């Protein structure tokens, strides 16, 4: 229970990786501010047995004003954020000449700029307390590219860069800033890509899933949200006090190739 009494805010935590990380942090005793769309009451109910306080704020990560309202809510409800996990993200696949402008803007806003806004608002209190953790959920696409994903690759390379810059700005403090770079994790975001592939290639969803893994991820296994949650817990531990500016791949060997 090394996070008892601390407050974690995880953006995009009503689903997938964000939810997995929020559950792992709650198991360590952290109070939670959840964020994201969908049936948040059902999500909050999953935390009932952990003996921690859990709130949801529905700020849209495209909107800086709503992000400010969410951070103020965390300050009022819990007296601030100790662990900030910038996780909210969306995907759109198309070659750049056919990429809808609105999708480009949304991906840059949600997958990159929201982390700038949450970080700039969380850091003053973290620095004042001389303890804090910022964990940015980047991607293999923060380290290498794939065709058809220009906005996502640009945003994820951007968040790896933001991670390094903030790690330097906080290097002599008790605040650390790191990125986790997952390869394929079976969440709704990836299921959509598997379903699209099955439809385009007229193959079964199982076959599409096998092909998706075989193309990029040598382990041929999906990483789980729980595994990423446990890595986030490690990054919050004293053992990780001097892990700074890392872009930690959890990708079954994807970026080792
Ligand atoms: P997901 O679709 O399961 O969950 C995305 C979450 O973000 C949801 O809670 C959703 O409500 C929220 N969200 C979306 N738009 C939002 C907005 N405008 N404002 C607030 N919340 C919003 O996706 P996931 O696979 O769990 O992805 C989470 C993060 O992990 C993303 O940043 C994604 O890029 C990254 N990632 C995922 C994979 C993967 O294989 N699934 C791999 C590498 C990185």
């Amino acid at each position: 229970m090394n996070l008892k009494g601390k407050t974690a805010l995880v953006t995009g935590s009503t689903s997938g990786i964000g939810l997995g990380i929020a559950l792992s942090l709650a198991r360590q005793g952290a109070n939670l501010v959840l964020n994201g769309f969908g049936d948040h009451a059902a999500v909050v109910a999953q935390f009932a047995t952990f003996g921690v306080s859990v709130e949801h704020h529905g700020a849209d990560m495209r909107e800086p004003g709503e992000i400010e309202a969410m951070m103020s809510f965390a300050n009022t409800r819990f007296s601030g954020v100790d662990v900030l996990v910038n996780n909210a993200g969306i995907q759109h696949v198309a070659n750049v000449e056919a990429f809808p402008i609105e999708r480009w803007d949304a991906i840059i806003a949600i997958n990159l700029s929201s982390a700038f806004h949450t970080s700039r608002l969380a850091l003053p209190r973290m620095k004042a307390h001389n303890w804090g953790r910022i964990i940015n959920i980047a991607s293999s696409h923060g380290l290498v590219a794939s065709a058809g994903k220009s906005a996502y690759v640009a945003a994820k390379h951007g968040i790896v860069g933001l991670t390094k810059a903030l790690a330097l700005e906080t290097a002599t403090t008790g605040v650390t800033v790191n990125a986790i770079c997952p390869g394929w994790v079976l969440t709704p975001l990836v299921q959509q890509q598997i379903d699209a592939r099955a439809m385009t290639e007229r193959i079964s969803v199982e076959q599409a899933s096998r092909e998706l893994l075989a193309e990029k991820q040598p382990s041929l296994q999906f990483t789980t949200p729980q595994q990423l949650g446990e890595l986030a817990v490690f990054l919050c531990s004293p053992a990780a006090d001097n892990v700074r500016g890392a872009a930690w791949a959890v990708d079954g060997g994807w970026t080792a190739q």
Side-chain angles (χ1 to χ4, degrees):
M1 298 289 275
N2 65 3
L3 294 176
K4 198 159 180 53
K6 299 223 182 312
T7 299
L9 186 152
V10 185
T11 68
S13 44
T14 50
S15 169
I17 294 169
L19 177 56
I21 291 175
L23 287 166
S24 290
L25 296 175
R27 276 188 206 102
Q28 298 302 316
N31 297 319
L32 258 304
V33 179
L34 304 175
N35 159 259
F37 301 145
D39 182 0
H40 60 83
V43 173
V44 170
Q46 295 183 41
F47 291 76
T49 57
F50 295 120
V52 299
S53 298
V54 181
E55 301 282 352
H56 172 268
H57 192 283
D60 185 331
M61 290 301 109
R62 282 171 295 200
E63 302 294 338
E66 294 188 26
I67 295 171
E68 288 199 22
M70 178 181 71
M71 300 306 284
S72 298
F73 171 79
N75 287 338
T76 312
R77 179 62 186 82
F78 292 114
S79 72
V81 174
D82 304 293
V83 177
L84 169 65
V85 182
N86 290 307
N87 165 80
I90 59 168
Q91 176 63 285
H92 186 86
V93 182
N95 283 347
V96 73
E97 63 273 27
F99 214 92
I101 293 167
E102 173 275 325
R103 288 288 83 193
W104 173 277
D105 289 343
I107 288 174
I108 299 299
I110 297 166
N111 298 19
L112 176 58
S113 300
S114 72
F116 158 68
H117 292 295
T118 53
S119 299
R120 72 181 171 80
L121 295 164
L123 270 170
R125 180 182 177 279
M126 289 181 179
K127 283 182 172 171
H129 286 235
N130 200 34
W131 196 90
R133 295 290 189 258
I134 298 179
I135 301 172
N136 293 323
I137 306 306
S139 167
S140 301
H141 287 112
L143 304 170
V144 296
S146 294
K149 297 187 176 175
S150 55
Y152 190 85
V153 168
K156 294 300 187 182
H157 275 66
I159 203 163
V160 168
L162 178 68
T163 301
K164 292 177 183 176
L166 299 194
L168 294 180
E169 290 181 16
T170 53
T172 58
T173 76
V175 180
T176 71
V177 185
N178 291 289
I180 296 176
C181 296
W184 293 125
V185 185
L186 193 53
T187 66
L189 182 139
V190 166
Q191 190 64 50
Q192 282 168 18
Q193 295 174 60
I194 294 171
D195 293 346
R197 186 177 192 130
M199 189 124 65
T200 311
E201 297 183 15
R202 297 171 187 241
I203 54 177
S204 69
V205 169
E206 293 71 26
Q207 179 65 15
S209 174
R210 278 194 294 274
E211 285 186 11
L212 180 105
L213 284 168
E215 201 172 71
K216 300 279 186 187
Q217 194 144 303
S219 67
L220 305 178
Q221 306 274 348
F222 288 104
T223 300
T224 65
Q226 292 75 12
Q227 289 169 330
L228 299 174
E230 292 312 300
L231 176 54
V233 167
F234 168 72
L235 289 172
C236 292
S237 74
D241 277 353
N242 212 25
V243 180
R244 296 173 184 273
W248 195 311
V250 188
D251 63 6
W254 179 328
T255 55
Q257 297 171 96

